[in-house]
């Protein structure tokens, strides 16, 4: 029976996947894996709608509330000549001004402004913040503006930090306990985090929910993508992996449409939370990856998944090693117990250690880390730079999604003719050149600046999908999820750094963020030349079978 199942593994493209298509079709596997990625598009991009700055903001002075002045008159008295966006007001005696008519108060403040200008103080000293359409953003619920505006940014940082931790943790769990186990745990985090964000009365609990959503997005994405790589035949693997990545901008477009009709942010968050309950159905219908089960010698479960019935064969356990003949009394002495370090080395840290112990794997993993970090940094930098344009946030999200979708389709054609390595290198070079061309455009020519930036976004979105597929095929089954998980960790280093690159370095020069990304992307494209080609159809299962980093000519000869 064991030999039979091992033969199934060897001829998986012709036999194993034929049986899988008969019982659980490749389209069904694809559907179960792609729906969670649409939900990731919901929540990771929802910050643009849920946490946008209010369209208008001013300082409400309690002492002026009972006057018969209009709102514009109150704002004129409190902040005449100030350009702080409602963050500061003049330090007048508003109780005294409230006893006057508006004309008298205006003459009084104008006269005193010429003789002795009052101090400019924070709005919190004299009153409180007021907003137009306050229910449309969580900024108004917790006054995340002015001196507290950095805390507004923490809502997006929490997502990135959650993905940072989740990609590392869930990657190890998927290799140790299985793809479905990791996926189910990620679904639980996703649902709980969604409800925290929807009903949280405190900003700290809201951030905890965002962190859980970020961690869960990794817990759903990488096991689902690995299921596609391991259970879809080579003929369909390329386009299904690209379509899987393209489902993310589909979620962004749906988000913008829902957000346009549902303005209150808590109602919008609830509308995004309800579909997450479908993940329970995904967990029920999804089977464990047969390739992972065979690698871990769980043959009975493989048989039951493939044939929908328990195995009729008796799988014999591996015969115990014959005890050596005792020739010395010392051999009768009990062996010492394993130390904690040895147990960790052979247990939960085994797959991580194997990423760096083998020289071939070590060369691959460091190059992959740089590629993922640069790709993620460039992706989020282009997104944040585009968001600073004076356009409708709904149209911006839809436009970004529409740009991203064709960027995932182009690699499908390229992968058929040029392979993984050349496609990845070309897209890196496309992105780098497009972003560096921004330097050639005058600062006032917004149309061409945005055009080149969007060309760069088109290229980096295409690169993201190819890099994920390429990386999944570079590593053997034993450590594939750990490699993807740790690569994702470095990707989120880039996503966490992106806001600082845009806000801090962008303040020094509008061209600096795109220039940094363009240079880094070009370096990543050159490093791609050191990687082997993986589009030959055979995936390695053992660490010892990992290909060396050889030029393409040698790889083709082999």
């Amino acid at each position: 029976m064991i030999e039979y199942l091992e033969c199934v593994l060897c001829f998986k493209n012709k036999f194993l996947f034929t049986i899988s298509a008969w019982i659980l079709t490749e389209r069904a596997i694809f559907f179960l894996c792609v729906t969670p990625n649409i939900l990731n598009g919901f929540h990771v991009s929802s910050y643009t709608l849920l946490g946008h700055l209010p369209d208008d903001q001013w300082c409400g002075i309690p002492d002026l509330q009972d006057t018969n002045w209009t709102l514009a008159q109150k704002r004129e008295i409190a902040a005449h000549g100030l350009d702080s966006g409602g963050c500061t007001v003049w330090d007048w005696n508003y109780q005294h001004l409230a006893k006057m008519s508006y004309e008298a108060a205006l003459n009084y403040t104008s006269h005193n402004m010429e003789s002795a200008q009052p101090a400019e103080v924070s709005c919190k000293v004299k009153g409180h913040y007021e907003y137009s359409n306050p229910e449309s953003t969580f900024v108004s619920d917790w006054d995340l503006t002015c001196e507290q505006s950095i805390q507004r940014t923490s809502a997006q940082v929490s997502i990135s930090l959650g993905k940072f931790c989740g990609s590392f943790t869930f990657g190890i769990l998927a290799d140790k306990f299985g793809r479905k186990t990791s996926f189910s745990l990620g679904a639980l985090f996703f649902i709980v985090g969604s409800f925290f964000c929807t009903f949280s009365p405190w900003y700290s609990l809201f951030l905890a929910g965002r962190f859980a959503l970020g961690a869960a997005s990794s817990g759903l994405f990488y096991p689902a993508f690995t299921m596609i790589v391991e259970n879809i035949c080579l003929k369909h693997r390329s386009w299904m992996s690209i379509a899987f990545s393209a489902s993310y901008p589909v979620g962004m477009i749906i988000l913008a449409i829902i957000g346009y009709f549902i303005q209150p942010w808590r109602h919008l968050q609830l509308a995004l939370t309800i579909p997450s309950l479908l993940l329970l159905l995904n967990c029920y219908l999804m089977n464990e990856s047969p390739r992972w089960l065979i690698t871990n010698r769980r043959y009975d479960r493989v048989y039951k998944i493939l044939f929908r019935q328990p195995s009729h064969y008796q799988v014999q356990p591996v015969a115990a090693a014959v005890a050596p003949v005792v020739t010395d009394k010392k051999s009768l002495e009990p062996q010492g117990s394993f130390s904690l370090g040895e147990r960790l080395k052979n247990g939960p840290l085994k797959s991580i250690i194997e990423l760096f112990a083998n020289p071939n794997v070590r060369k691959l993993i460091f190059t992959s880390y740089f590629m993922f970090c640069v790709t993620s940094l460039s992706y989020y930098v282009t997104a944040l730079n585009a968001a600073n344009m004076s356009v409708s946030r709904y149209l911006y999200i839809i436009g970004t999604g529409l740009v991203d979708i064709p960027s995932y389709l182009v690699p499908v054609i390229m992968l058929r003719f040029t392979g993984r390595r050349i496609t990845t290198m070309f897209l890196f070079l496309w992105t780098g050149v497009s972003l560096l061309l921004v330097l050639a455009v005058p600062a006032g020519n917004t149309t061409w600046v945005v055009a080149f930036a969007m060309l760069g976004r088109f290229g980096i979105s295409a690169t993201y999908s190819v890099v994920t597929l390429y990386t999944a095929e570079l590593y053997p089954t034993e450590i594939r999820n750990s490699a993807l998980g740790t690569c994702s960790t470095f990707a989120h280093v880039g996503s966490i750094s992106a806001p600082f690159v845009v806000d801090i370095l962008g303040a020094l020069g509008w061209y600096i963020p795109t220039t940094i990304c363009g240079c880094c992307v070009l370096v990543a494209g050159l490093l791609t030349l050191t990687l082997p080609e993986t589009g030959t159809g055979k995936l390695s299962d053992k660490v010892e079978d990992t290909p060396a980093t050889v030029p393409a000519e040698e790889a083709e000869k082999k």
Side-chain angles (χ1 to χ4, degrees), residues 141-152:
D141 282 35
W142 297 295
D143 286 337
L144 305 177
T145 185
C146 299
E147 63 271 11
Q148 301 295 327
S149 59
I150 191 65
Q151 294 191 27
R152 165 182 166 267

Side-chain angles (χ1 to χ4, degrees), residues 12 22 48 65 87-88 97 153 230 281 290 318 320 376 510 544:
K12 60 184 182 308
W22 173 48
T48 305
Q65 297 301 318
C87 294
T88 58
L97 294 176
T153 308
E230 292 181 346
L281 182 62
V318 179
S376 181
W510 62 271
E544 295 77 12

Side-chain angles (χ1 to χ4, degrees), residues 188-225:
L188 177 63
F189 270 69
F190 199 94
I191 294 173
V192 173
S194 298
F195 278 98
F196 277 7
C197 292
T198 303
F199 301 106
S200 172
W202 310 291
Y203 189 57
S204 57
L205 185 59
F206 177 80
L207 293 181
R210 298 282 291 181
F211 181 88
L213 285 174
S217 65
S218 297
L220 295 173
F221 178 86
Y222 287 99
F225 186 79

